[in-house]
Amino acid sequence: MGGYHIACIGELLIDFVCTDIGLGLKQGARFLKKAGGAPANVAAAINRSGGYAKLAAKVGHDPFGDFLLHTLESEGIERTGVTRCATPTTLAFVGLQDDGERDFTFCRGADGDLSWRDIPADFLDNVGIVHFGAATGLLDGELYATYQRLLHEAKQRGVLISFDPNYRDGLWGQDPQRFIARCTPWFQQADIVKVSEEELHCITGAKTNSEGGRQLHEAGVSYVAVTCGRRGTWVSHQSGGQQLVPSVPVDAIDSTGAGDAFIGALLAQVAQSGCRLDDESEFLHAVRWANVCGALTCTKFGAIDAIPLAHDVDTFIKNSER
């Protein structure tokens, strides 16, 4: 497959997923160790969808860091931008509800130490898209400063910007307005914004997807993709085109990484087309494909391990059309 590389930046961490579904983190006792972190999940989805991803992140000099680096290598993700430090690797504990939805608790570590000095000089070479996931990236510290610098450098090069707020109560629950304020510069610079329906309404204060999308377009976003769970993805273009692209029915057990799988698959399709956003029908086709990728991710535990390969997505689509 041709196309540009896609650069991702942000947290690379361990998800400890509670397999006692419905009990949550308070009562659950059994956990699975999984590689995760929203930008890392997106990078894996890009590669599994036939694209070319590179990642900038930081992990600790510990067994968890070893595990994560091995995972990136197995996924074929370029990891020259992944460095290590004495701070322990970041951990996230994930509780699952009966419908696959989640709650998170974070033990933040090495991801926040990623500095601009850690970013390779050639990190943006042959890159057509830079994806920013904001789960931990907009918190105070080195990573936030690095996010800002990379956004500036990418815009200087005319690279497409993709942004996903990745709002987490466990990180911002006491101060959501501060999170919203931190997101604003990315909305002003992003070409593609992927946001959940709940995030859209929280961030914009809008009561409808149409109104929320309009606000983001006024900020400068070309495409807004609003993931709506089982209903699919509501897509809005700054020219005024809006529609709900239906998802596909699956037996969901864990939605961890589903949104990341969706945006990674979508960006891989955009990169394949030469990073052009002027063909709405082509973009909608990419959304339909990405919807299937996201839905299939919900049928397994974990994030990266659950993301389907491009062949599996194509096979599912062919079988569903019979």
Side-chain angles (χ1 to χ4, degrees), residues 247-293:
S247 186
V248 294
V250 296
D251 294 324
I253 61 171
D254 178 10
S255 62
T256 304
D260 302 329
F262 168 84
I263 187 61
L266 178 65
L267 295 179
Q269 298 281 311
V270 172
Q272 184 182 19
S273 70
C275 297
R276 294 171 55 247
L277 294 178
D278 54 353
D279 189 330
E280 288 190 52
S281 63
E282 189 171 273
F283 190 85
L284 289 172
H285 173 78
V287 170
R288 294 185 185 95
W289 200 92
N291 270 353
V292 175
C293 184

Side-chain angles (χ1 to χ4, degrees), residues 64-76 79:
F64 292 137
D66 294 339
F67 171 72
L68 291 169
L69 290 176
H70 174 73
T71 300
L72 296 182
E73 183 177 6
S74 298
E75 295 294 326
R79 56 191 183 108

Side-chain angles (χ1 to χ4, degrees), residues 101-102 163-168 192-201 209 216 223-236 243-247 255 257-266 287-288 290-295 298:
E101 289 304 313
R102 308 142 297 156
F163 179 65
D164 182 351
N166 291 124
Y167 179 74
R168 299 285 183 264
I192 300 171
V193 166
K194 175 266 168 189
V195 61
S196 74
E197 200 166 28
E198 296 78 12
E199 288 170 335
L200 178 69
H201 296 175
N209 291 346
L216 295 185
Y223 272 104
V224 179
V226 183
T227 51
C228 305
R230 296 177 185 274
R231 291 177 13 243
T233 304
W234 185 87
V235 181
S236 178
Q243 73 177 84
L244 179 70
V245 181
S247 186
S255 62
D260 302 329
F262 168 84
I263 187 61
L266 178 65
V287 170
R288 294 185 185 95
N291 270 353
V292 175
C293 184
C298 295

Side-chain angles (χ1 to χ4, degrees), residues 27 39 93 99 155 160 163 170 192 210 235:
Q27 295 179 295
F93 294 85
D99 60 359
K155 292 299 289 188
L160 289 179
F163 179 65
I192 300 171
S210 180
V235 181

